[in-house]
Amino acid sequence: MWRMARRDAIDLVGASGLVVFSTLLAANQVVIKLTNGGIGPIFGAGLRSVLALCVLGLWVWFAGRRITGLRAAFWPGLMLGGFFTIEFVMLFLALDLTTVSRASILFYSMPVWLAVVAHFALPNERLSARRVVGLGLAMAGVTWALADPQSLGAGDLRGDLLALGAAFAWMGIALAVRLTRVSKLTAETQLFFQLAVSALALIAVAPLFGPLLRDPTWLHWAGLGFQATFVASLGFLFWLGLMAIYPASDIAAFSFLSPVLAVGMGWLLLDEPVGPGFAGALTLVAVGIVLINLRRKTPAGAA
C-alpha cells in the first residue's frame, strides 16, 4: 500500500489532494439532487451505503487491512452510525426540496456550530478572539444567504432546515469520534459502523418516504455508483489518509472550498440563481470558516 511520511505542513501534493476531495464533495451535492430524480431520496441513500459497504470490503481485502474492535466499541459505534443515518436522511431530503446552493451553504456551516460546542465540550478548543470573529462572519453569511430574495424564491424553507439539521448530525459524528471509544478504531472500522448501520436503517425506513423508485434511468444508477464509490467509501478513506499525513488544522482550513465549489456547480450545472447578494453571503461564510479553522503554529519543543 502506498504511504507517505508525516508532514508538518501542507505541501503541493496535499493541497492538490484537498482541492480534488473538496471538488468531489461539491459535485456530490449536484449528483445527489440529480439522482433523487429517479430514485427515492432515502432509498437512494440506503443503496449508497450498501454499495459503499461492498467497496469498503473490497478495499479491506485488497489493501490487507482489518476491521477490528467492533465488540469493544459496539455502543459508541452504533451511536456513530445513528448520527450518520440521520445526517443523510436530512441531507438527501434537503436536496430533494431546496437548491444545491442553499443546502450546501447550510450543510457546510458545520465547522461553525462545532466550534461553539467544542468550546464547552473539548479540551484545547477554546474560542479565541480570531475564532469569535470567524463565527460572527460565518453566522452573518448564513443568515444573509437564507434571506437572499433571489435565492429564496428558488429554494424551500423545509429543505433549508433539513440541510441545517444534517450539519448538526455531522457535528455529532465529529464529537462522537473525539469523545468516545470510536476514536481508538481504525478508519476502516469507523467507516464500517457508519455504513452498516445506515444501510440497514435507511433501507428499513425508506418506504415511509414515498415511492422507492421514480422511473430511474442509467444516469440515475450511474450517479448512485459515483456516490458509493468515489465519495462514501474511497473518498472518505482518501481524506482519512490525508489526515494521517498532514496536520488536521491545515486540512480543516481547506473546508471552505466545498461550499464555494458546490454553489458554483449549482449555478453552472443546474442554473440555480446566485446573485451578488448570495455570493457576498458565501464569501462571509468561507472567510469565517477559514478563521475558525486556522491554528497558531506551536514552536518546536513547546508544550
Side-chain angles (χ1 to χ4, degrees):
M1 180 182 171
W2 174 77
R3 294 180 184 274
M4 288 180 61
R6 182 76 182 176
R7 304 296 173 87
D8 294 328
I10 291 287
D11 54 18
L12 181 60
V13 173
S16 300
L18 286 167
V19 170
V20 169
F21 182 68
S22 297
T23 304
L24 267 181
L25 292 183
N28 188 52
Q29 307 292 301
V30 175
V31 173
I32 290 174
K33 189 166 187 68
L34 293 175
T35 304
N36 282 353
I39 305 172
I42 307 306
F43 186 54
L47 289 178
R48 186 183 85 149
S49 289
V50 171
L51 293 174
L53 200 56
C54 295
V55 175
L56 175 63
L58 290 173
W59 163 258
V60 168
W61 173 76
F62 177 77
R65 308 285 289 180
R66 296 183 62 190
I67 294 176
T68 58
L70 295 179
R71 292 181 62 182
F74 181 75
W75 293 111
L78 283 185
M79 180 174 65
L80 185 70
F83 277 126
F84 189 84
T85 301
I86 294 169
E87 175 188 348
F88 285 99
V89 165
M90 291 186 167
L91 180 61
F92 273 65
L93 288 175
L95 288 166
D96 201 42
L97 293 169
T98 194
T99 63
V100 167
S101 301
R102 292 176 69 84
S104 295
I105 201 170
L106 288 164
F107 179 62
Y108 287 112
S109 69
M110 187 278 280
V112 177
W113 321 118
L114 178 60
V116 175
V117 175
H119 176 77
F120 301 100
L122 297 177
N124 303 319
E125 292 288 345
R126 305 293 292 179
L127 288 173
S128 63
R130 184 193 64 249
R131 299 185 81 200
V132 169
V133 171
L135 281 171
L137 290 175
M139 288 181 177
V142 169
T143 304
W144 187 4
L146 288 176
D148 178 65
Q150 187 176 4
S151 173
L152 185 60
D156 186 296
L157 181 59
R158 296 170 300 169
D160 297 340
L161 293 176
L162 284 166
L164 187 59
F168 290 145
W170 184 10
M171 177 182 67
I173 292 174
L175 291 172
V177 170
R178 293 285 297 274
L179 295 173
T180 72
R181 285 191 298 250
V182 167
S183 62
K184 305 297 183 182
L185 302 177
T186 64
E188 289 83 3
T189 306
Q190 290 181 24
L191 184 55
F192 175 82
F193 268 121
Q194 294 176 75
L195 293 176
V197 172
S198 63
L200 293 172
L202 291 169
I203 295 294
V205 303
L208 303 177
F209 292 87
L212 302 184
L213 300 177
R214 300 171 171 179
D215 194 21
T217 66
W218 68 268
L219 185 63
H220 300 110
W221 295 117
L224 188 63
F226 168 84
Q227 295 175 55
T229 304
F230 296 107
V231 180
S233 52
L234 296 183
F236 182 76
L237 290 171
F238 174 73
W239 179 75
L240 288 172
L242 291 175
M243 289 285 289
I245 298 169
Y246 300 102
S249 58
D250 288 357
I251 289 176
F254 278 75
S255 59
F256 78 94
L257 282 175
S258 291
V260 171
L261 292 170
V263 169
M265 289 182 183
W267 169 74
L268 181 65
L269 301 176
L270 302 177
D271 197 28
E272 294 181 354
V274 179
F278 196 85
L282 178 62
T283 300
L284 285 183
V285 173
V287 172
I289 289 174
V290 171
L291 291 175
I292 289 167
N293 285 314
L294 281 177
R295 294 288 191 273
R296 181 175 299 173
K297 301 295 184 181
T298 302

